[in-house]
Amino acid sequence: MSKKTLIVIGNGMVGHHFLEQFAASPAATEYDVLVFGEEKQLAYDRVHLSEYFSGSTHADLAMGTADWYTDHHITLKLGEPVLTIDRDGKTVTTPAGQYPYDELVLATGSYPFVPPIEGNDNEHCFVYRTLDDLDAIRASASNAKTGVVVGGGLLGLEAANALKSLGLEAHVVEFAPRLMPVQLDADGGAVLRGKIEELGVRVHTEKATTAIVDGETARLRMNFSDGEFLETDLIVFSAGIRPQDTLARESELEVGERGGIVVNNQCTTSDPHIHAIGECALWNQRIFGLVAPGYTMARTLSAVLNGDGDAAFTGADMSTKLKLLGVDVGSIGDAHGQTAGARNIRYNDEQAGHYRRMVVSSDGKKLLGAILVGDNSYYDTLLQYALNGIDLPESAESLILPESQGGAPALGADALPDTASICSCHNVTKGDICGAIDAGCSDLGGIKAETKASTGCGGCAALLKNVVDSELEKRGVEVSKDICEHFPYSRQELFHLVKVNGIRTFRTLISQYGKGHGCDICKPTVGSILATCWNEHILATDHVPLQDTNDTFMANMQKNGTYSIVPRIPGGEITPDKLIVLGQVAKEYDLYTKITGGQRVDLFGATLSQLPEIWEKLIAAGFETGHAYGKSLRTVKSCVGSTWCRYGVQDSVGMAIFLENRYKGLRAPHKVKMAVSGCTRECAEAQSKDIGVIATENGWNLYVCGNGGMRPRHADLFVTDLSDEELIRTIDRVLMFYVRTADRLQRTSVWMENLEGGLDYLKEVVLEDSLGIGAELEEHMEGLVGTYQCEWKTAVEDPEKRKRFREFVNAPEKADPVQQWTTERDQRRPVLESA
Amino acid sequence: MKARTRWDVVCMVEDLVPESGIAVWTEDGPVAVFYLPHRLPALFAVSHTDPFSGANVLARGITGDLKGEPVVASPLYKQHFSLRTGICLEDESVRLKTYPVLLDGNRIRLEIPATQQQTQAA
């Protein structure tokens, strides 16, 4: 019964993906798993490496957590490189010792190729591969003016973007006559070059560097073979990758002529107990330098180790779609038209900087490949034609013409076969999505959670939505966004109708745009919209019948018909005097008292008729309503921050109080919670809130769309190092855009996941003002802030509104007979139902 | 039969809240009176006790109509009850007691069964 040992060398993206697959498979119980990583960090997302410069931390980029490894009984040895493999004795040796294995997986990845140029070992020459590399580049850039990237490929342009974001004047030096020579042709490369130069990156093509020497005006000088030179403060080499096959070579496994560990379709090397996956593996004379094929190898190998005789890696699609320095670039299949007889269709708009090329088969029926620069909206459709061998339409050129010139609409989801790959990161096909729908998933969020589709790079989001909508429709599931039988509109559409037509009552809205008399779905929804648009008192005569009971009586109904009361305690800061008042009021009315998770105090057991009296007392002591009953801002939690804490770098309590006072009373599609932490230790748990703010040395990092509750979600980092003013303006926009466009009872997380384009789209709208509505959103918020009133203060001062708080209108003294009480842990609580 | 019932005044017109309910105390226990000014008849009276929770809360529910039927939604667990028949739309085996109601001048009268009933919660 003793277990076998599986050793994995390398803890990169592919190695980690393999472990995820393997840990979830039956064979996991048969093996002790040991992982060796050369880097000190856990596997992280190298694809998004440059985000490290725009504020992401290792934790943001990490693929898994140490806990995940512990939970799955995987022993992780980071910073412990494997030195040798003894194939006969089946052991590996590290500086710390010798470990026996039964099966060995090489996931060693690749290393950056540094051209053999004299002077390339200068201390200001770098490669662009690991977080350590990036730290070194950042340090060197801190007192530099210019930076050069050697290599104009995909990763080189990423690196150029990184140098630019570090504030350097960035240059790209490419040996070939054009940028991205692997993916693009001459015209495409020229268009890309134009766009990138517009952004301030200098491009030098057909330049071979012969030597790197000391500079005169900068640290270094690069001498080129044509006699010219370029001065720069630092150099980043990004001239391609080479498979990391040293261990394999030294242990005499079969390797390729130009490197790479030779594997068969089962990802097994020339030794049956040693396997290789990812960029270190050479399959069919090919190295795959993208993450998706590596993942496919990882899945194949996991299946092989589970005894699946059919599992085989049979090559992978190398199509890519990316945004480089903000410019769309796409390359599909046989982009260079190398297939015999292939013909081309080209569209080139030099004015707009758009280039598109289709490579079609000699009979013109199939799409073999394509190149896109400037606009990737054509990518998904073209990729599906190419991957699935779908017959091209009569006038195939329409697929790359602008829509205004008769371009064809996107390929309908219906036309795709079940085998069509929708999400290549997680290998989800249209058939998988249909399966999830048949198993009961009925919305985009559910399908994402179930299949993982669109949770990798997110590039397939729009396509996924099309497939899901079309399949739901086919199954007769109404994808109608109508909120209920009374209004044939979504919440967002209703909001628009109310706002644009200046509608101020439910009655007007339903008579003009709906039918019937409304219900408990549409009435509170419209009540909330009216509150957001006009900010009238929710107990104004026209609005009373729209509110849920909690809003009507401005307290939270409990199971026996009594209410709980939560006064606002902004930021969780309260004076002793106010705290004493809470105690006195609770004592006088015998209210059960509990501290909430949002740093407030909840008082339970008040009857309807007691509410106004209690609030009179609370208001006299300076309290305001806490809106715990509303779909609105609840609390802004905070840690104590720089005022007291020896780690705090900003005044988090002050900011929390400011935010809470600014957004209190804002009516939203669902409750909204916020938190402000004074440093990265994150004691306020801001990353579990709709709006989370974390102090940095330079200002504030903003996180959005997190929540706790039934389906917890970590908030996403939205933007970093904001000043106070920038922070508030950004939150204004995010919140107002949410309030205007979310569905009823949709938390910010689900709202954002369902936005076409997700987080990136939200960033475009809020940070780049892509819809041109930024100023309007801010103005709207400013108006709401200016018209805030404490609903309870207004209510207790108005005898008409107070009339609503009579338990029985004809028997003011009558106590509700079902409200029976007992005592537990020295406090009053309801007698639980006996009948 | 008529002789065994009586029409009690339970409140005045100004106590009513348009499109919503109020609670009154009767000899038959707590009753919710709803005023839906855009319907005919406009007045409805049903038991104030929510049969699913036992709490006296139905007058505080949201009113409306579902497929034309006037309803109130329980503020606790959101079941809908017909204001005409008292039947629960989600579970037809559950039915609220209903009371005839009329407007007499500016007084609201309910027809309460004369036989004194002991009210039991739930």
Side-chain angles (χ1 to χ4, degrees), chain A residues 466-478:
Chain A
N466 285 340
V467 170
V468 169
D469 284 353
S470 132
E471 289 303 313
L472 285 175
E473 222 160 297
K474 258 200 240 166
R475 284 160 178 73
V477 177
E478 194 134 348

Side-chain angles (χ1 to χ4, degrees), chain A residues 722-740:
Chain A
L722 297 174
S723 67
D724 290 4
E725 296 72 31
E726 290 168 332
L727 176 70
I728 288 149
R729 194 169 70 225
T730 311
I731 298 175
D732 276 2
R733 289 185 179 191
V734 172
L735 277 182
M736 213 62 221
F737 191 53
Y738 163 64
V739 167
R740 286 185 171 202

Side-chain angles (χ1 to χ4, degrees), chain A residues 34 135 191 208 352 359 384 402 419 430 449 526 545 553 623 699 714 803 820-821 827:
Chain A
L34 210 61
D135 284 334
V191 171
V359 178
Q384 293 300 329
T419 52
K430 183 179 165 191
V526 172
F553 301 104
F623 285 103
H714 254 251
K803 271 171 62 180
Q820 304 282 326
W821 304 97
Q827 293 208 70

